[in-house]
Amino acid sequence: MRKRRRGSIALTLLCAMALLSAPGALAGTAFAAPEPQPKSLEQVRKDIEGLYREAGTATDAFNLAESEAKAQSDKIVEIANLVLAGQNRITALKTRAGAAARAQYRAGGLPPGVRLALSDDPTQFLDGHDRLRQGEKATSDLISELNRTQTDLEQYAKDASTHWETLEANRVKQEAAKKQVEDKIKAAEDLESKLEAEQKARLLQLEAEAQSKAQTDWLSTGAMTGSTGAPATDAGKRAVQFATAQIGKPYVWGAEGPGSYDCSGLTSQAWLAAGKRIPRTSQEQLRLPKVAIKDMRPGDLIIYFDDATHVGMYVGGGAMVHAPRPGRNVTMAGAGSMPIKAVVRPDA
């Protein structure tokens, strides 16, 4: 009985070894990697949208760094002008101080008591002495002003150094953000370039359907219930007129017109045309005075997404105008076609 059991075990082992040693055994069959399933067009749309969202975030970082770099450059120019004015001031003060010192030397060769004793007219001497004292005070004031101006120049030099360091830091941030924007846009374009013409047309349709559904869902929440429909201010009307006049122009990241715009480039330039300078980026525009959605009026800005990386301008009737993303043009869309973070009012 024990011998038969041993024989059965041995036979089982031999069979297993034979299977394992057979050419191609198990490999390519039981352990073969499953074939990757092609993505649906809807998933491709979401992937492309996600890449452009990331590009939008990087674009805002680029715009902010560019804006800050310009501010630092302007400050450095301002300091340079102050330095030049200070140097000219020092030259003039030294000239005046030298002239005063020479005059004082000529008039003050003798001590005051000796000059009084030798003077034929004591009254004239005393008047001259008063003028001399005034001259001495004026010279002292000149020297004090000269010292203050030199101190100012030293401070200007320190300020300039600080602003240069900040300028260089912003340039580094600009370059990093620029590369990230370009990488994300290229990745999105590569995905889209693999689609057939029919698929690209269908992709546009899917985008429109997704936006329409988002708008319908937003309205169904009652977000606009009780809307006052407040009319635009004169400045708001001018901003809306400018923004809507750009419809059809392409989105280009970092652009502020006149031929192309990114989202915050469009809104900032629209309000500049209306006579109001506002921050350059959507994240900075978020700091403007906020209003409730139901109180929106034309010209107000709608900030989108949790990270405030997109912005459009409300035009009334539940619609807004915006520069959507690379590959798309300035267009009108539903105000609720994207997740709203806040509504801000530039002319509050």
Side-chain angles (χ1 to χ4, degrees), residues 18-322:
L19 283 170
L20 290 171
S21 62
L26 297 181
T29 56
F31 295 98
E35 288 291 325
Q37 294 298 312
K39 289 184 177 181
S40 68
L41 196 56
E42 174 61 15
Q43 185 57 54
V44 171
R45 182 191 71 80
K46 289 180 178 178
D47 289 347
I48 291 174
E49 185 180 282
L51 286 166
Y52 280 127
R53 281 268 297 107
E54 291 174 12
T57 302
T59 297
D60 225 38
F62 175 88
N63 288 338
L64 180 60
E66 183 179 51
S67 177
E68 289 177 346
K70 184 180 183 304
Q72 297 306 319
S73 295
D74 291 345
K75 192 66 180 176
I76 289 168
V77 170
E78 180 185 333
I79 290 173
N81 289 332
L82 288 172
V83 168
L84 180 60
Q87 289 172 336
N88 291 337
R89 181 69 176 156
I90 283 178
T91 300
L93 288 170
K94 284 182 176 179
T95 300
R96 287 172 56 193
R102 288 191 296 273
Q104 185 177 352
Y105 176 77
R106 288 192 298 270
L110 295 173
V114 175
R115 293 204 308 278
L116 176 60
L118 296 176
S119 175
D120 294 332
D121 186 348
T123 302
Q124 185 179 4
F125 166 77
L126 291 173
D127 290 342
H129 184 61
D130 286 342
R131 287 196 297 273
L132 181 62
R133 289 180 61 188
Q134 291 171 2
E136 289 173 346
K137 183 178 184 305
T139 301
S140 175
D141 291 343
L142 278 174
I143 293 172
S144 296
E145 187 174 353
L146 182 63
N147 289 335
R148 284 197 303 272
T149 304
Q150 287 176 327
T151 300
D152 288 343
L153 286 178
E154 291 172 4
Q155 185 61 49
Y156 294 154
K158 291 178 183 177
D159 290 345
S161 176
T162 300
H163 287 297
W164 269 114
E165 290 174 3
T166 306
L167 177 63
E168 288 306 308
N170 282 322
R171 282 178 177 161
V172 170
K173 286 192 288 186
Q174 268 183 276
E175 288 303 313
K178 179 181 178 182
K179 185 178 186 310
Q180 189 176 9
V181 172
E182 291 172 340
D183 288 348
K184 296 298 181 182
I185 290 176
K186 184 178 184 305
E189 289 174 342
D190 287 347
L191 272 179
E192 200 162 356
S193 69
K194 295 173 184 176
L195 301 176
E196 301 292 337
E198 290 182 4
Q199 290 176 310
K200 289 180 180 179
R202 175 61 180 153
L203 186 67
L204 282 171
Q205 186 179 352
L206 287 174
E207 285 182 8
E209 289 173 357
Q211 291 173 8
S212 177
K213 182 179 184 305
Q215 174 76 353
T216 301
D217 291 346
W218 176 67
L219 290 173
S220 69
T221 64
M224 294 293 288
T225 300
S227 173
T228 58
T233 60
D234 288 343
K237 288 177 183 177
R238 292 195 296 272
V240 169
Q241 287 169 354
F242 180 94
T244 53
Q246 312 314 308
I247 289 176
K249 293 183 179 181
Y251 176 108
V252 174
W253 69 271
E256 297 178 86
S260 57
Y261 298 87
D262 63 19
C263 65
S264 56
L266 176 64
T267 53
S268 60
Q269 289 301 305
W271 270 102
L272 185 61
K276 176 78 173 180
R277 185 176 294 277
I278 64 172
R280 169 65 176 89
T281 71
S282 56
Q283 291 178 340
E284 289 180 301
Q285 289 171 9
L286 177 63
R287 298 173 187 163
L288 294 170
K290 295 177 178 58
V291 295
I293 289 175
K294 67 180 181 62
D295 295 330
M296 284 192 300
R297 68 188 185 199
D300 288 345
L301 304 183
I302 306 175
I303 311 295
Y304 293 99
F305 303 111
D306 286 341
D307 54 0
T309 50
H310 192 70
V311 60
M313 178 178 290
Y314 187 62
V315 296
M320 59 90 172
V321 60
H322 71 145

